[in-house]
């Protein structure tokens, strides 16, 4: 049951850590069950799926985007989301900035750090992130923190090392006093407990809430 899963997760997740319900590939009917159980933050990873679901869900849902985003799909995503967690190229960052300026919006974004997961080449290196943050401020966006996806492995020592790496970078930037930089999005169904021990401020959980993805 979705409401029971949510209850269990809420009891285990400390206050101050946001639970992001990853609803990709799950039908709206199941998302509404989560909504009725009090869930308000939902995340999608495909532009068309997000755009199709938005009008079917209540207006107070806070949408996050967590998938690969091509710049020709911005119009399907940016009008609806309060955060793009998966910014993985300078090209995309600049395109979101241009959209924000043109539409009088400031879009909250996270920079995705590549965490050695072989199956995804997505994400910046540490050096790239530091250089983006050191360069001129972009209008129309606010860089709120970092996102990372650990390797898909049962070896928790590997995941621990990867979370360690992103936590260190996050704390280094945060302690430099960068304004508004306060979000660390790490942890999925398989590793969110470990992510919380590494200072996650957001965990992105799909399977543990909704069960296996349906399509
Ligand atoms: C699918 C996805 C998740 C959730 O994965 P689960 O294992 O189902 O919890 C989290 N983050 C990202 C970026 C995803 O694509």
């Amino acid at each position: 049951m979705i409401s029971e899963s949510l209850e269990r997760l809420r009891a285990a997740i400390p206050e101050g850590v946001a639970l992001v319900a990853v609803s990709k590939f799950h039908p709206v009917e199941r998302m509404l069950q989560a909504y009725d159980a009090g869930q308000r933050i939902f995340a999608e990873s495909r532009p068309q799926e997000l755009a199709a679901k938005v009008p079917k869900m209540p207006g107070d849902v806070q949408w996050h985007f967590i998938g690969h985003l091509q710049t020709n799909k911005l119009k399907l995503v940016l009008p609806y989301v309060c955060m793009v967690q998966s910014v993985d190229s300078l090209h995309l960052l600049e395109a979101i900035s241009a959209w924000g300026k043109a539409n009088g919006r400031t879009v909250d974004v996270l920079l995705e750090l590549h965490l050695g997961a072989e199956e995804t080449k997505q994400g910046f290196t540490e050096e790239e992130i530091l250089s983006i943050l050191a360069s001129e401020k972009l209008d129309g966006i606010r860089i709120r923190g970092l996102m990372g996806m650990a390797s898909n492995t049962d070896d928790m020592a590997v995941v621990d090392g990867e979370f360690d790496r992103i936590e260190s970078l996050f704390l280094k930037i945060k302690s430099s006093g960068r304004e508004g930089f306060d979000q660390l999005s790490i942890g999925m169904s398989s590793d969110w407990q470990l992510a919380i021990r590494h200072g996650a401020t957001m965990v992105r959980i799909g399977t543990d809430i909704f069960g296996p993805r349906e399509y």
Side-chain angles (χ1 to χ4, degrees):
M1 277 272 294
I2 288 172
S3 61
E4 285 160 12
S5 308
L6 280 170
E7 217 169 290
R8 233 183 352 258
L9 284 164
R10 287 196 194 111
I13 292 172
E15 216 168 305
V17 178
L19 171 57
V20 177
V22 177
S23 48
K24 65 182 185 199
F25 304 105
H26 292 290
V28 166
E29 298 74 63
R30 292 179 68 70
M31 295 170 67
L32 284 169
Q33 289 176 35
Y35 181 90
D36 289 339
Q39 183 65 30
R40 292 295 178 271
I41 310 176
F42 291 83
E44 290 287 333
S45 64
R46 298 189 308 178
Q48 275 91 353
E49 187 175 348
L50 171 77
K53 283 173 169 178
V54 166
K56 297 181 181 154
M57 289 291 290
D60 63 342
V61 164
Q62 298 161 44
W63 297 96
H64 288 213
F65 194 80
I66 58 170
H68 185 61
L69 183 55
Q70 287 173 305
T71 53
N72 62 354
K73 300 280 167 61
L74 293 188
K75 281 197 286 288
L76 287 174
V77 171
L78 297 184
Y80 312 117
V81 297
C82 54
M83 181 177 280
V84 178
Q85 295 203 8
S86 44
V87 175
D88 58 356
S89 75
L90 189 56
H91 177 61
L92 175 59
L93 191 70
E94 288 171 345
I96 296 174
S97 162
W99 186 93
K101 266 191 287 187
N103 290 275
R105 286 260 319 267
T106 302
V107 184
D108 279 352
V109 301
L110 303 181
L111 302 180
E112 181 171 354
L113 176 66
H114 177 65
L115 278 183
E118 278 311 308
E119 59 271 28
T120 66
K121 292 265 179 285
Q122 233 162 280
F124 293 108
T125 64
E126 267 102 333
E127 293 70 34
E128 286 169 336
I129 286 177
L130 291 172
S131 121
I132 286 169
L133 293 172
S135 66
E136 230 174 293
K137 190 181 167 296
L138 290 168
D139 294 322
I141 53 166
R142 189 163 43 200
I143 299 174
R144 294 293 310 275
L146 301 180
M147 188 270 239
M149 208 166 162
S151 293
N152 183 12
T153 171
D154 292 335
D155 187 347
M156 279 309 175
V158 171
V159 176
D160 193 58
E162 292 173 354
F163 284 167
D164 215 43
R165 207 147 68 66
I166 194 168
E167 181 186 18
S168 303
L169 181 63
F170 174 70
L171 291 175
K172 174 173 165 177
I173 297 164
K174 192 174 175 212
S175 67
S176 75
R178 190 182 171 88
E179 203 190 315
F181 193 94
D182 56 7
Q183 297 297 319
L184 178 59
S185 175
I186 48 174
M188 311 176 19
S189 291
S190 57
D191 54 22
W192 60 266
Q193 289 99 333
L194 189 56
I196 285 170
R197 275 181 256 134
H198 282 283
T201 64
M202 282 186 224
V203 290
R204 309 178 308 268
I205 300 183
T207 309
D208 270 6
I209 296 173
F210 297 105
R213 283 182 266 283
E214 296 194 5
Y215 53 91

